[in-house]
Amino acid sequence: MTAERTTRPTALVTGASAGIGREFAHQLAARHHDVVLVARDRGRLEELAGELTSRYAVSAEVLVADLSDRSALQTVADRVADGQRPVDVLVNNAGYGQRRSFLRNDVAVEEAAFDVLTRAVLVLSHAAGVAMRDRGRGRIVNVSSVAGFIASGSYSAAKAWVTTFTEGLAAELAGSGVTVTALCPGFTNTEFQQRAGISKPGPEFLWLDPRKLVADCLHDVDKGRVVSVPGTQYKAVVGLLRVLPRSVVRNRARLVRR
């Protein structure tokens, strides 16, 4: 399905086939954005595109891509940078967790996850940042995690990079008309745990509703906030993690892993 050119703004969402990415696609379409849906599963994307077109009367474009593949990632970057079909909002959401710890995992699996979680964010943010800066407007949302504030394996490290990278890019684009926001959710009721093959940890009050999470994030984006932490419980957690000595954070993370 290919989008026709319209006067509506366009949002491109990676990892749009499920979870937080799917919710971003719905809420941006409800805001009268045409959408470009990026993920690996064509069937799911085409089903979602039909749903968004029917429900919100917007145009939906399907772009099938495995972002760990450099050629496929470049195809998405080219779409983001296309001046004839400008992308006004980029949501870098694609990602997944690992069931095994770093040293128990195959390094090729770790490299693929690294490419999706960090390299794809870098490449697409560069394409969007240049194009949006030249137009004098745009929004970039990089989905990070509360995990980035702790020390718990390669996923945690990747998300720490996403948050810091986003803060730096936001500073570089300050005053340009382009905003950049790092979304740092905690546990969220999506397919994430099921796909990663891990159990659902923690008490129920720690679990966020994806609809409210995305709505709160978009509110923060509208306000130009650089870091968006949804949920009072996670605002408190992140505030505490920022002031605790790193030795304490490392020790607590080690106990959780055990």
Side-chain angles (χ1 to χ4, degrees), residues 107-123:
V107 71
V109 175
E110 290 286 343
E111 285 184 302
F114 181 85
D115 283 344
V116 173
L117 294 171
T118 59
R119 188 175 187 276
V121 172
L122 182 148
V123 170

Side-chain angles (χ1 to χ4, degrees), residues 187-189 193 200-209 233-234:
F187 296 139
T188 306
N189 282 306
Q193 279 70 32
K200 184 176 177 179
E204 190 60 35
F205 78 88
L206 287 177
W207 288 82
L208 300 171
D209 173 57
Q233 65 275 52
Y234 287 109

